[in-house]
Amino acid sequence: MKTISKIVSIATLFMTVIPAMAALAEYGEPQNPANGIWIQQVGEIEPQDPTGATLYYTKYEYDKSGDRVKSISYTYNGAGFLLMKPSDRKTLCYESDGVAGADGIVHHPDGKHLLVAGQGKTVYMVKKETPAGGKCLTKSAGLVNPGASKGIWHLMTDYNQKLLWGANIPGELFRFSTDVVKDAANNGFSNGYRVTLVADPLKHKNDTTLATIIWDDYGRAYFTRSGYMGGGCEGVSYCTAARRKEKRADAYFGILTDTVKTLVTAKNQGTIGGAIGDSVITSLTKKVLIDSLEGAHGGTYDKYSGTIFLFGGARIVQIAPYTDQGVFDPKVVATIDLRDYFFNDNGFSGQNKTGGVDGWRLDQGTTDGLGHLFVASNTGHMIFVDFAGNSQKRIDNNVLVHVQWIDAYLDDLAPLVGAGADLIKGTVGKVDVVSSSSTARSSSSMVVRSSSSARSSSSAKSSSSVSSSSTNPSSSGSEPTSSSSADPKSSSSADPKSSSSVDPNSSSSNDPESSSSV
C-alpha cells in the first residue's frame, strides 16, 4: 500500500519559519514551519480522502471582546497537511449575550443549538447561527437542590440523545432532560437533578466525584476523575518525580456500575425530576479500573478503533476495553506524551501561550470516526493526530501529530461524531482539496461521508445503525435486574492485541432509542 514518508516540504507553505524545538525523547526534532505550529511524524502515514468540518469550542476566560463560544473550520488533505486558520474563527456567543461562563460543550439533539456549561450552576442553550443583531442565548437551565455542588464544568450526552450529564472537574453528577419530544414545552432542555455517586468500596473509598463520562458501543459507561491538570504537573523546576507521582495519584479511570432507577411520583418529582410514571436514574456506583493515570480528565469513545481516548496533562491515552481470560480488563495500549513529541514546559518560552498556564494542559477532545483525533489544550493549542496509517488503529506509530495555536483560553470541544455530536446534519464531511496549498472550501460545501465510503468496515457509522440491546452505565452494560445487555466479560469485547476494532454492528451494541440509557 502506498504510504507517505516524513513530510519536509510543508515549510514552503508558510512565510515565517523559526527554528524547531528539540523533542525530549527518540522522536527527533518536530518541524516548526511557522510561529505557533509544530509537526511531528513518527513512521509513515497512509494517504486518505480529504476531510473537513467545523469545530465548536469554548473559552474558559474571555478577551476584551467578551468572546465565550466560537467555531473554527478545518480541512485535512489526507496526506499530512491540515489547514486551520485562526483568521477563520467565528464568535457565536459573547458574555454580553448572557453567557456568563463557558466550559463543556455538546450539540443539542435538535441540531440547531449547542449546550454550554456555565462554570457554575447554569447550563446554556445557545444558537449555532444567530441573526444579525440578535443574541445567541435561547434559554438557561439550573440545578435543582444543588447542595454543596459548585456547579457544572463538563457536559456529556449519551447516545439516546435524551439526557445531558454535567459535572464539575471533578464534582457531583447532575442529569438534565434533552428529550425533544417529552420535553418539547421546554425546548427539549430542562433543569438538572442530582444523581448520587457511590464511591468504589476498595479504591478511593471516600471519593464521590467524577469529571467526564464516556460511553462505548457495548453500552458501558466509563468515567474519568481528576482536577483541571488531568493528573499532570506544570513547571519543570517544580515538578520533581515525587510531585508528579502525587499529581498522578489524584487521577484515575473507571466504569459506572449498579444503576439505580426510581419511579417518579407526585411526591418525589420535585426532587428527582422526570415525568410521573417514568423511572429515572438516581444513583450510580464507581469502580476504579486504572489508577494514578495522567490523562484521566477529558475523554471520548472512538468507533473507528473501538477504543477510548483520554486527555489530560501532557498526555493522550488510548485504552482498549477488552477481556483477558474471561475477565473484563481495559488496558492502556498507546500514549502520546507531548513533552516527548514536542517540548516540555520550558519550550513555550517566546511562543504563543495562554497566560497563567505553565505547561501542556489537555482538556477535551473528539475523533472524527476516520482515524483522526482533535484535542484542545488550555495553552491555546489544538492538537490533531492522524493515526489512520497504523494497522492496529493505535497512536503509537505511523502517526502524524500537528500542534497549532488557535485561541487564548481554549477550553473544550464539541464532539464531531458519536454521543454529543450533531446527529441530524452530521459534522464530518468529505471535501475536495486540489493540493495542500489550495484554498479549502467553506463548510457549507462539505458532503457528509457515508459509511460505504469509509476506508474499512470498522469506520464510524451512523448511530442509527446500531443494534437493539440496552445502554446503561453498569459494569455489565445493564441495569442490576436486567440480563439482556452487553456483558463486559463477553469475549466480544475489543482486544488491544488485535488489529480489529469493536464491531458497531455487534448484537451487544447500544440502542440509541433505549429508555434505560445513561
Side-chain angles (χ1 to χ4, degrees):
M1 180 176 289
K2 182 180 179 182
T3 57
I4 300 173
S5 299
K6 190 144 186 168
I7 300 164
V8 296
S9 61
I10 192 168
T12 62
L13 300 173
F14 298 91
M15 296 296 292
T16 304
V17 180
I18 60 178
M21 309 185 79
L24 301 180
E26 68 273 16
Y27 304 108
E29 289 190 350
Q31 297 174 55
N32 189 189
N35 188 26
I37 296 178
W38 297 270
I39 301 168
Q40 180 69 268
Q41 185 174 323
V42 178
E44 297 179 326
I45 60 174
E46 176 187 333
Q48 313 133 43
D49 290 337
T51 60
T54 297
L55 293 166
Y56 295 91
Y57 68 91
T58 56
K59 296 179 63 171
Y60 64 89
E61 292 186 23
Y62 59 85
D63 297 323
K64 293 180 180 179
S65 65
D67 51 343
R68 280 299 198 173
V69 183
K70 304 180 77 170
S71 68
I72 187 169
S73 296
Y74 74 88
T75 55
Y76 180 58
N77 74 346
F81 179 76
L82 177 72
L83 181 64
M84 186 166 47
K85 296 187 293 183
S87 59
D88 289 341
R89 293 174 305 193
K90 296 180 180 178
T91 299
L92 282 65
C93 290
Y94 294 91
E95 183 143 323
S96 59
D97 290 336
V99 180
D103 201 295
I105 179 170
V106 297
H107 293 267
H108 186 272
D110 69 4
K112 301 176 182 178
H113 290 86
L114 297 162
L115 300 173
V116 177
Q119 298 172 303
K121 298 177 183 179
T122 304
V123 177
Y124 302 106
M125 183 179 186
V126 303
K127 303 178 184 71
K128 294 180 183 178
E129 300 288 341
T130 302
K135 301 284 187 180
C136 74
L137 181 62
T138 294
K139 69 170 297 186
S140 302
L143 305 181
V144 178
N145 298 323
S149 171
K150 294 181 180 179
I152 304 297
W153 266 252
H154 278 185
L155 293 178
M156 300 72 63
T157 303
D158 58 15
Y159 278 96
N160 69 14
Q161 299 283 312
K162 295 176 182 177
L163 292 175
L164 174 76
W165 299 84
N168 202 334
I169 46 176
E172 295 81 5
L173 183 64
F174 290 85
R175 181 198 76 244
F176 301 76
S177 170
T178 52
D179 193 323
V180 295
V181 176
K182 287 188 176 182
D183 216 11
N186 294 311
N187 296 105
F189 183 46
S190 58
N191 290 336
Y193 292 82
R194 176 83 170 268
V195 173
T196 300
L197 287 174
V198 179
D200 187 321
L202 301 178
K203 298 179 180 179
H204 300 278
K205 294 184 287 186
N206 297 317
D207 184 12
T208 57
T209 66
L210 57 72
T212 300
I213 302 177
I214 307 142
W215 289 266
D216 71 8
D217 265 341
Y218 292 90
R220 297 178 291 236
Y222 304 89
F223 70 90
T224 65
R225 194 278 180 198
S226 70
Y228 62 89
M229 288 190 182
C233 185
E234 297 175 11
V236 174
S237 58
Y238 171 78
C239 293
T240 61
R243 283 200 175 108
R244 290 190 183 280
K245 182 178 180 181
E246 177 186 352
K247 298 291 185 182
R248 284 196 305 272
D250 196 41
Y252 57 90
F253 169 77
I255 193 168
L256 295 173
T257 70
D258 300 335
T259 303
V260 175
K261 286 191 171 185
T262 302
L263 180 68
V264 180
T265 65
K267 185 176 181 179
N268 65 15
Q269 185 183 35
T271 303
I272 66 174
I276 294 175
D278 285 352
S279 291
V280 297
I281 296 173
T282 53
S283 177
L284 299 165
T285 298
K286 295 167 58 179
K287 180 180 180 180
V288 179
L289 296 174
I290 304 176
D291 208 349
S292 297
L293 180 63
E294 180 178 352
H297 184 68
T300 190
Y301 175 74
D302 177 41
K303 282 178 172 286
Y304 170 76
S305 62
T307 62
I308 296 164
F309 287 103
L310 305 183
F311 326 108
R315 291 184 174 177
I316 302 171
V317 180
Q318 187 176 16
I319 296 175
Y322 82 115
T323 59
D324 185 5
Q325 297 180 351
V327 178
F328 183 55
D329 188 23
K331 298 286 189 183
V332 174
V333 294
T335 299
I336 288 177
D337 192 317
L338 297 179
R339 293 165 297 207
D340 294 339
Y341 272 60
F342 296 97
F343 45 82
N344 64 20
D345 300 346
N346 288 338
F348 286 105
S349 178
Q351 305 299 319
N352 288 329
K353 180 180 72 68
T354 301
V357 181
D358 296 325
W360 297 108
R361 194 185 292 177
L362 302 184
D363 203 327
Q364 285 286 14
T366 179
T367 66
D368 66 357
L370 303 168
H372 309 130
L373 176 67
F374 289 88
V375 189
S377 173
N378 295 162
T379 56
H381 298 86
M382 193 80 75
I383 293 87
F384 168 78
V385 182
D386 176 0
F387 62 101
N390 186 297
S391 61
Q392 293 187 309
K393 301 178 182 177
R394 298 182 187 175
I395 57 172
D396 55 357
N397 194 16
N398 294 332
V399 297
L400 176 119
V401 185
H402 174 114
V403 172
Q404 181 173 339
W405 165 263
I406 294 297
D407 213 337
Y409 311 113
L410 181 62
D411 205 333
D412 286 7
L413 295 177
L416 285 171
V417 294
D422 185 345
L423 301 184
I424 294 178
K425 297 179 181 178
T427 49
V428 182
K430 183 170 65 175
V431 299
D432 294 329
V433 179
V434 177
S435 69
S436 60
S437 60
S438 65
T439 301
R441 293 185 178 182
S442 68
S443 59
S444 62
S445 68
M446 294 182 185
V447 179
V448 175
R449 178 196 296 267
S450 68
S451 60
S452 62
S453 67
R455 286 185 301 278
S456 71
S457 60
S458 58
S459 295
K461 296 184 179 181
S462 166
S463 65
S464 63
S465 67
V466 297
S467 70
S468 60
S469 69
S470 66
T471 305
N472 261 309
S474 66
S475 60
S476 64
S478 65
E479 292 184 58
T481 57
S482 171
S483 61
S484 62
S485 298
D487 185 348
K489 295 182 180 181
S490 166
S491 60
S492 61
S493 296
D495 185 346
K497 297 179 182 179
S498 169
S499 61
S500 61
S501 63
V502 173
D503 180 8
N505 292 322
S506 166
S507 61
S508 57
S509 296
N510 59 294
D511 179 6
E513 298 301 322
S514 170
S515 61
S516 61
S517 274
V518 166

XYZ file of all heavy atoms in Angstrom, residues 155-159 163-165 212-223 256 299-302 307-308 419-420 471-473 510 517-518:
287
model
N -19.712 18.680 30.242
C -21.002 18.191 29.769
C -20.811 16.951 28.903
O -19.843 16.859 28.144
C -21.725 19.254 28.945
C -22.198 20.520 29.669
C -22.849 21.467 28.670
C -23.167 20.186 30.798
N -21.758 16.018 29.014
C -21.736 14.798 28.220
C -23.177 14.434 27.837
O -24.076 14.581 28.654
C -21.131 13.618 29.010
C -19.706 13.799 29.484
S -19.440 14.968 30.849
C -20.354 14.230 32.199
N -23.378 13.978 26.612
C -24.690 13.495 26.172
C -24.568 12.022 25.818
O -23.629 11.629 25.139
C -25.187 14.263 24.932
O -25.220 15.657 25.231
C -26.578 13.811 24.528
N -25.524 11.208 26.292
C -25.433 9.793 25.941
C -26.033 9.553 24.562
O -26.570 10.463 23.922
C -26.055 8.897 27.012
C -27.518 9.212 27.279
O -28.129 9.912 26.455
O -28.046 8.768 28.309
N -25.926 8.316 24.089
C -26.281 8.010 22.708
C -27.764 8.159 22.413
O -28.138 8.365 21.262
C -25.823 6.597 22.344
C -24.371 6.525 21.948
C -23.393 6.169 22.863
C -23.974 6.840 20.657
C -22.056 6.116 22.503
C -22.648 6.791 20.283
C -21.686 6.421 21.209
O -20.367 6.379 20.849
N -30.704 12.576 27.367
C -30.181 13.019 28.655
C -28.844 13.729 28.478
O -27.988 13.288 27.710
C -29.998 11.835 29.614
C -31.259 11.132 30.119
C -30.884 9.919 30.957
C -32.135 12.093 30.928
N -28.701 14.814 29.203
C -27.432 15.532 29.299
C -26.902 15.316 30.706
O -27.653 15.367 31.679
C -27.651 17.029 29.053
C -26.441 17.939 29.268
C -25.467 17.811 28.105
C -26.892 19.396 29.432
N -25.594 15.071 30.801
C -24.958 14.854 32.096
C -23.925 15.945 32.328
O -23.192 16.319 31.405
C -24.304 13.477 32.145
C -25.293 12.366 31.964
C -25.759 11.873 30.785
C -25.959 11.656 32.984
N -26.685 10.881 31.011
C -26.820 10.715 32.367
C -25.919 11.688 34.383
C -27.637 9.846 33.082
C -26.726 10.821 35.108
C -27.570 9.907 34.453
N -15.689 13.280 33.710
C -16.244 13.021 32.366
C -16.818 11.612 32.316
O -16.272 10.689 32.924
C -15.142 13.147 31.288
O -14.595 14.463 31.328
C -15.694 12.895 29.891
N -17.923 11.443 31.578
C -18.483 10.115 31.299
C -18.284 9.812 29.820
O -18.460 10.684 28.963
C -19.974 10.031 31.644
C -20.208 10.368 33.125
C -20.520 8.634 31.358
C -21.681 10.374 33.509
N -17.935 8.559 29.512
C -17.672 8.118 28.139
C -18.418 6.806 27.909
O -18.256 5.864 28.698
C -16.159 7.892 27.914
C -15.365 9.131 28.313
C -15.866 7.498 26.477
C -14.052 8.803 28.989
N -19.207 6.728 26.844
C -19.938 5.502 26.529
C -19.260 4.760 25.374
O -18.825 5.376 24.400
C -21.371 5.822 26.117
C -22.234 6.281 27.247
C -23.063 5.514 28.023
C -22.363 7.618 27.740
N -23.692 6.300 28.965
C -23.277 7.594 28.814
C -21.781 8.844 27.387
C -23.647 8.733 29.523
C -22.141 9.983 28.091
C -23.048 9.923 29.145
N -19.193 3.437 25.467
C -18.675 2.655 24.346
C -19.831 2.013 23.587
O -21.004 2.219 23.918
C -17.632 1.626 24.795
C -18.222 0.456 25.594
O -19.467 0.341 25.690
O -17.438 -0.338 26.142
N -19.514 1.223 22.567
C -20.549 0.615 21.726
C -21.279 -0.529 22.412
O -22.247 -1.058 21.870
C -19.929 0.107 20.419
C -20.051 1.111 19.294
O -20.900 2.020 19.395
O -19.286 1.014 18.317
N -20.811 -0.930 23.578
C -21.450 -2.027 24.293
C -22.386 -1.514 25.382
O -22.884 -2.289 26.190
C -20.389 -2.955 24.884
C -19.619 -3.698 23.823
C -18.460 -3.158 23.285
C -20.067 -4.920 23.330
C -17.757 -3.819 22.288
C -19.377 -5.591 22.339
C -18.219 -5.033 21.819
O -17.532 -5.681 20.827
N -22.591 -0.202 25.423
C -23.492 0.353 26.422
C -22.847 0.598 27.763
O -23.521 0.987 28.709
N -21.541 0.371 27.877
C -20.863 0.605 29.149
C -20.520 2.081 29.279
O -20.137 2.728 28.299
C -19.586 -0.237 29.237
C -19.867 -1.737 29.221
C -18.586 -2.552 29.257
N -17.828 -2.448 28.032
C -17.446 -3.488 27.280
N -17.795 -4.708 27.646
N -16.723 -3.309 26.199
N -20.648 2.599 30.472
C -20.329 3.994 30.741
C -19.083 4.059 31.616
O -19.070 3.571 32.745
C -21.492 4.688 31.430
N -18.018 4.647 31.067
C -16.774 4.826 31.795
C -16.703 6.248 32.329
O -17.485 7.114 31.937
C -15.585 4.564 30.872
C -15.605 3.206 30.216
C -16.248 3.022 28.995
C -14.998 2.107 30.810
C -16.280 1.775 28.386
C -15.028 0.858 30.204
C -15.673 0.702 29.004
O -15.712 -0.535 28.403
N -15.745 6.509 33.201
C -15.593 7.864 33.711
C -14.120 8.172 33.949
O -13.285 7.279 34.091
C -16.381 8.047 35.018
C -15.798 7.305 36.198
C -14.846 7.895 37.032
C -16.187 6.002 36.479
C -14.305 7.209 38.103
C -15.644 5.295 37.553
C -14.703 5.913 38.375
N -18.866 2.926 35.503
C -20.031 3.135 36.354
C -20.867 1.863 36.389
O -21.151 1.258 35.351
C -20.866 4.303 35.842
C -20.166 5.668 35.893
C -21.015 6.724 35.198
C -19.860 6.078 37.319
N -12.373 12.870 27.736
C -12.361 11.563 27.085
C -13.439 11.422 26.027
O -14.426 12.159 26.010
N -13.226 10.460 25.128
C -14.205 10.159 24.086
C -14.027 8.720 23.629
O -12.936 8.149 23.748
C -14.035 11.116 22.884
O -15.134 10.975 21.986
C -12.752 10.834 22.113
N -15.099 8.144 23.122
C -15.027 6.807 22.535
C -14.875 6.940 21.026
O -15.526 7.770 20.394
C -16.281 5.999 22.861
C -16.318 4.643 22.191
C -15.495 3.606 22.643
C -17.153 4.394 21.104
C -15.509 2.364 22.025
C -17.177 3.155 20.480
C -16.356 2.149 20.944
O -16.365 0.928 20.321
N -14.013 6.108 20.431
C -13.744 6.155 19.004
C -14.244 4.887 18.338
O -13.703 3.799 18.561
C -12.235 6.312 18.768
C -11.878 6.286 17.288
O -12.619 6.904 16.494
O -10.870 5.648 16.931
N -11.752 1.961 20.623
C -11.018 2.258 21.849
C -11.496 3.572 22.451
O -12.243 4.333 21.838
C -9.501 2.343 21.601
O -9.233 3.426 20.689
C -8.966 1.047 21.008
N -11.022 3.834 23.659
C -11.333 5.063 24.382
C -10.090 5.935 24.402
O -8.984 5.443 24.659
C -11.781 4.749 25.818
C -13.094 3.961 25.792
C -11.931 6.018 26.645
C -13.417 3.279 27.101
N -21.766 10.190 20.718
C -22.552 10.838 21.753
C -22.191 12.315 21.850
O -21.030 12.680 21.935
C -22.305 10.155 23.101
N -23.203 13.166 21.820
C -22.977 14.595 21.932
C -22.707 15.307 20.628
O -22.521 16.524 20.604
N -28.648 0.354 26.756
C -27.445 1.088 27.118
C -27.534 1.510 28.567
O -28.465 2.188 28.944
C -27.310 2.344 26.252
O -27.358 1.949 24.898
C -26.036 3.081 26.536
N -26.586 1.144 29.377
C -26.585 1.513 30.778
C -25.179 1.625 31.303
O -24.266 1.044 30.765
C -27.340 0.471 31.607
C -28.753 0.916 31.907
O -28.965 2.027 32.396
N -29.717 0.077 31.598
N -24.987 2.362 32.403
C -23.653 2.555 32.904
C -23.213 1.492 33.881
O -22.311 1.690 34.659
C -23.774 3.914 33.612
C -25.158 3.903 34.149
C -25.964 3.160 33.141
N -25.210 -0.634 21.581
C -26.280 0.062 22.275
C -27.388 0.518 21.339
O -27.192 0.758 20.176
C -25.726 1.281 23.009
C -25.045 2.237 22.064
O -24.028 1.920 21.472
N -25.631 3.406 21.904
N -30.895 4.002 28.802
C -29.561 4.540 28.626
C -29.222 5.535 29.701
O -30.054 6.224 30.227
C -29.435 5.263 27.282
O -29.108 4.387 26.269
N -27.931 5.618 30.003
C -27.467 6.686 30.890
C -27.242 7.914 30.045
O -26.506 7.919 29.121
C -26.173 6.254 31.564
C -25.511 7.466 32.194
C -26.459 5.274 32.639
